């Protein structure tokens, strides 16, 4: 007869794909219960925080693995999001060069974290890329919270910072330690998108919702044309 603790462990393992559970569930439950033999614990105990966190991380790695369509789609989305941020940065620097620093509608951190994250991921430095993207997400969240507390128009803040926050989440989830290397074609996609971004604001009076929307459209169009998900990835990555 199963204890309540065992049932809770099995419920936790439902985070994993059915095929994975069919192969590993009994082994994993046995390991979880190996040192938990107290009758009171078996009746009223719950999975530990460490075990829960490890299972969640395993579920992400398995469901977003190298051969999983969901994982491939998420990684393409993450890199497209970073590319959109780079295009937006190129727009910002172009307008600033013409009109002065007062025209810069976004902080320098937005540019730096996006550049570091994109370059690191394409170069195979996943840890550095995840840290940079995570920092961008934290700063974007802080900007949204500060704007709401200050009573500023929330739609404008959301337009500028929510894409960076969602991109950060996609990077952190998609580029886990078992993710495949990034195809080098992304190195060719980036300059094309950046040039298009600069061209889109050469005569623009200032940054606006229109230029921001154009940045994401340019990034999406460049990725759709290059189809990087079909390119061969390098044999290994650091």
């Amino acid at each position: 007869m199963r204890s309540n603790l065992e049932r809770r462990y099995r419920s936790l393992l439902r985070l994993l794909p059915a095929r994975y559970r069919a192969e590993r569930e009994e082994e994993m439950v046995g390991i979880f219960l190996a040192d938990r033999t107290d009758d009171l614990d078996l009746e009223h105990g719950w999975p530990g925080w460490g075990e829960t966190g490890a299972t969640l991380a395993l579920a992400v790695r398995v469901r977003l693995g190298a051969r999983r369509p969901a994982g491939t789609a998420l990684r393409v989305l993450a890199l497209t999001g970073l590319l959109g941020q780079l295009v937006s940065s190129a727009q910002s620097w172009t307008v600033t060069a013409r009109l002065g620093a007062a025209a810069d509608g976004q902080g320098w951190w937005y540019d730096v974290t996006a550049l570091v994250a994109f370059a690191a991921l394409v170069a195979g430095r996943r840890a550095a890329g995840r840290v940079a993207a995570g920092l961008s997400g934290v700063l974007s969240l802080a900007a949204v919270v500060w704007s709401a507390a200050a009573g500023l128009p929330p739609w404008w803040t959301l337009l500028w910072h929510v894409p960076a926050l969602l991109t950060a989440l996609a990077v952190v989830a998609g580029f886990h330690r078992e993710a495949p290397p990034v195809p080098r074609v992304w190195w060719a996609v980036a300059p094309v998108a950046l040039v298009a971004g600069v061209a889109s604001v050469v005569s623009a009076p200032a940054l606006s919702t229109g230029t921001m929307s154009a940045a994401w459209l340019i990034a999406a169009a460049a990725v759709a044309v290059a189809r990087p998900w079909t390119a061969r990835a390098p044999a290994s990555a650091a």
Side-chain angles (χ1 to χ4, degrees):
M1 183 176 178
R2 294 177 179 176
S3 65
N4 287 334
L5 180 59
E6 180 178 349
R7 283 193 287 270
R8 288 163 184 154
Y9 273 123
R10 292 186 184 276
S11 295
L12 175 63
L13 293 179
R14 288 178 183 172
L15 293 170
L16 300 168
R19 181 177 297 181
Y20 191 93
R21 291 202 314 273
E23 297 176 355
R24 307 283 183 85
E25 181 173 359
E26 297 304 323
E27 177 187 358
M28 295 180 71
V29 170
I31 293 173
F32 286 148
L33 293 174
D35 297 325
R36 304 188 67 169
T37 57
D38 181 77
D39 290 340
L40 187 62
D41 189 27
L42 291 173
E43 180 65 22
H44 301 288
W46 288 82
W49 289 110
E51 296 164 332
T52 301
T55 303
L56 285 170
L58 177 61
V60 170
R61 293 199 304 271
V62 173
R63 291 185 181 276
L64 302 178
R67 295 184 176 86
R68 294 273 181 168
T72 299
L74 185 64
R75 284 182 282 275
V76 170
L77 180 64
L79 288 167
T80 302
L82 291 174
L83 185 60
Q85 292 179 45
L86 292 179
V87 173
S88 178
S89 297
Q91 292 176 329
S92 177
W93 283 97
T94 302
V95 172
T96 299
R98 290 194 299 108
L99 304 179
D104 187 6
Q106 58 194 39
W108 60 266
W109 58 265
Y110 189 90
D111 310 328
V112 172
T113 54
L115 177 60
V116 171
F118 183 87
L121 292 174
V122 180
R125 305 291 181 178
R126 293 188 202 122
R130 294 177 77 192
V131 169
L135 177 60
S136 176
V138 169
L139 293 172
S140 293
L141 180 61
V144 172
V145 172
W146 178 86
S147 178
L152 299 178
W155 62 270
W156 178 253
T157 303
L158 294 176
L159 177 66
W160 282 96
H161 296 293
V162 165
L165 179 57
L166 295 178
T167 296
L169 293 174
V171 169
V172 172
F175 287 94
H176 48 79
R177 66 188 182 191
E178 296 175 9
V182 176
R184 294 297 188 253
V185 69
W186 285 96
W187 287 127
V189 174
V192 173
L194 291 176
V195 170
V198 171
S200 70
V201 294
V202 165
S203 59
L207 296 175
S208 64
T209 57
T211 60
M212 171 60 79
S213 299
W216 301 114
L217 290 175
I218 289 168
V223 172
V225 171
R227 295 171 58 84
W229 58 88
T230 64
R232 295 184 62 181
S236 61

